[in-house]
Amino acid sequence: MSKVATGVGPKHPQVVVLVGATGDLAKRKLIPGLYHLFTAGFIPDCRIIGLSLDDISAEDFRSLCLSSLNEFSKRPVKDEDWKRFSDNLNYLPLSAGPEKLHTTVVEAENALGGDCRRLHYLSIPPKAALSVIELLGKANLVERAHVVMEKPFGVDLKSAVALNKEVHKVFNESQVFRIDHFLGKEPAQNILAFRFANGLFEPIWNRNFIDNIQIDVPETLGLDGRSGFYENTGAFRDMVVTHLFQILAFVAMEPPAALDPASITEEKRKVFKSMLKIEPTDVVLGQFSGYRDLPGVDPESQTETFIALKCTIDNWRWAGVPFYLRTGKRLAEGQRIISIAFQEPPRSMFPIDSGVGLHGPDHLTFDLSDTSRTSLSFYGKRPGPGMKLDKHSLQFSMDENKHIGDVLEAYERLILDAMRGDHTLFTSSEGIEKLWEVSAPLIENPPPVLRYAQGTWGPNAIHQLIAPKAWRLPFERTWRD
C-alpha cells in the first residue's frame, strides 16, 4: 500500500513553488527532502518550480539540484530516480514577474492533470517574505494553496502583528504554515506519545511530583557566515521564541480532546496564555569572546549569542514549577535535551553515608537529537554488604526500533504536513503574538550581556539563576551506546 493511500502523504498532486531555490536551506534540506518524498512515493505526483534572484536557466537549476543531492542527501541517488525527479523541475528568476509565474504554474498543473494543490515554500529571509506574498497574490496563486514561512515571525509584538496583518491580506490563516523544524523531529513528536499513551507517566506529570523542567539546547557551532543576520536577531529571537517555547508547549500542554491539529493547537495556545511575562531578572544573556571580530558585527555589539532564562506557567498543573531554558553558540557540547526532575522523597530513612541524594533527584530525560533517546534515572542498591546507593538508569534509543528506517527528516515531515493542511506541528499567528507579548519586558529592558569563553557552558551567572538547583548538563554519566 502506498504512503498516499495510508494517509501519510497528500491526496492530491502538488505544484511546489520553491522561493529561494538556490539558497543554503534549499540545497541542504529542501531539495533532498522533496527528492526523497517524491521518489519514495509519499507524494502522488508533483512539479517543482524554483524561484530566486539568480538569473539561471532551468537546466542550470537541475544541475544545482543534482549537486545538492550528491552533497547533502543521506540516501543514495539512483540514476532512474534522478531522471524521474529532474523531469519535474523547472525554474524562473524572480524578475520574470507575476504573469510569467502564473503561466508556469498553470502549465505545470495542466501537465499533472486532475485536481492539484499548490505549496509555496518561502525559503527566504523574513524581510523578503512580504514582497513574495504580494507577488503570489498578483500572480493569482492563492486558491488551493498553502504557504510555508520560515522564522523569525517578527522581532517583537508590534512587528509580529503587522506581519500577520499583511500576510492575511493575501492568505487566510488556515493557509499559512509557520515552520519550526524542531517540532518536525521524531523525538519531539514522541513526547506526545510518551505522555498521553502511558498510564505510568501522565498521573505524575504535574506540580505534585515534578520539581523543575529544563529545555537545554547548547551548540558548539558558531555562525558560519551568518553573523550579519545574527547581529540583528540574537539567541532569544533565533532560538527561544521559535523553537524552545514550542517544545515547552508540548511538554506542558493538557491532554487534547483528540489527536487532530485543532485540538493540539488549542492546548498549545492555553499554555502560552498561562505563561507569565519574562522578567529581565530571570534571564542571563551572554556573548562569546571573539563574536565582535566577526564580519558584519558591530565592534561594540550587545547582541546575545547565549541565553538562559526561567519562565513560569501559572495554571493548575504547573503552579510553582520553574521551567529553565538555555541555548547558545560556541558552548562546550552540542546537545538537545528535555530533562524533567522529580520531587525527592519528603524524608529519607537511609543513613547519611548511604549515597542517597548524592546525585540529585530522579530525572526523565529526552534526547531531541537524531539518535532520539530516552532515559529514566533512579537510585538503587549497590551490590554487596551494607546499604550503599548508586544512580542507575533505564534507557531506550529509537535505533532499537525495527521501524527506524521509516523516520523522515524534520523538513520532510513538515513539508508533507503542509501539503496535507495539517497544522499540528506549526505555529499559529495568535500563538506567536502571545509569545511576543510574554517576552515584552525582556525585549524592552534586557539585562547586561556578559562575556563567556568559547567552549564553556556560558556566563557563570547561570548558576545563580537556577540555584539551589543545578543544570542537568553537562551529564555526570554518558548515554549508553
Side-chain angles (χ1 to χ4, degrees), residues 12-41:
H12 305 281
Q14 303 284 319
V15 174
V16 179
V17 178
L18 180 56
V19 188
T22 60
D24 187 65
L25 177 62
K27 293 176 184 177
R28 289 176 176 272
K29 296 293 184 182
L30 305 182
I31 291 168
L34 287 166
Y35 171 82
H36 176 238
L37 294 176
F38 176 77
T39 56

Side-chain angles (χ1 to χ4, degrees), residues 188-225:
Q189 299 166 55
N190 196 40
I191 295 169
L192 296 180
F194 195 93
R195 281 193 59 189
F196 301 126
N198 296 296
L200 177 62
F201 293 103
E202 182 57 23
I204 60 172
W205 209 268
N206 57 61
R207 60 186 175 85
N208 296 319
F209 299 94
I210 292 176
D211 179 77
N212 71 88
I213 294 176
Q214 297 178 29
I215 302 175
D216 209 350
V217 186
E219 297 180 293
T220 58
L221 300 173
L223 297 173
D224 297 328

Side-chain angles (χ1 to χ4, degrees), residues 26-83:
K27 293 176 184 177
R28 289 176 176 272
K29 296 293 184 182
L30 305 182
I31 291 168
L34 287 166
Y35 171 82
H36 176 238
L37 294 176
F38 176 77
T39 56
F42 286 97
I43 307 172
D45 205 352
C46 79
R47 295 291 188 273
I48 299 167
I49 301 168
L51 203 65
S52 82
L53 292 171
D54 295 301
D55 190 6
I56 60 175
S57 68
E59 194 56 42
D60 291 335
F61 178 59
R62 294 186 187 100
S63 297
L64 181 147
C65 290
L66 182 58
S67 297
S68 298
L69 293 174
N70 288 332
E71 185 173 359
F72 298 112
S73 178
K74 295 182 179 180
R75 303 173 179 91
V77 180
K78 299 178 180 178
D79 290 343
E80 61 271 25
D81 287 341
W82 164 246
K83 177 65 169 63

Side-chain angles (χ1 to χ4, degrees), residues 174-200:
S174 66
Q175 294 178 285
V176 182
F177 293 77
R178 297 169 189 82
I179 196 166
D180 173 13
H181 72 272
F182 267 48
L183 295 187
K185 291 180 176 292
E186 197 75 28
Q189 299 166 55
N190 196 40
I191 295 169
L192 296 180
F194 195 93
R195 281 193 59 189
F196 301 126
N198 296 296
L200 177 62

Side-chain angles (χ1 to χ4, degrees), residues 272-316:
F272 299 148
K273 189 175 181 180
S274 299
M275 288 176 64
L276 298 182
K277 290 188 176 181
I278 299 168
E279 298 299 332
T281 52
D282 291 330
V283 179
V284 175
L285 300 180
Q287 184 186 95
F288 66 75
S289 298
Y291 171 75
R292 294 178 182 180
D293 299 327
L294 297 176
V297 173
D298 186 334
E300 298 182 359
S301 173
Q302 293 299 307
T303 297
E304 79 283 359
T305 62
F306 172 95
I307 182 169
L309 63 91
K310 179 177 75 172
C311 61
T312 303
I313 299 174
D314 191 23
N315 63 15
W316 189 276

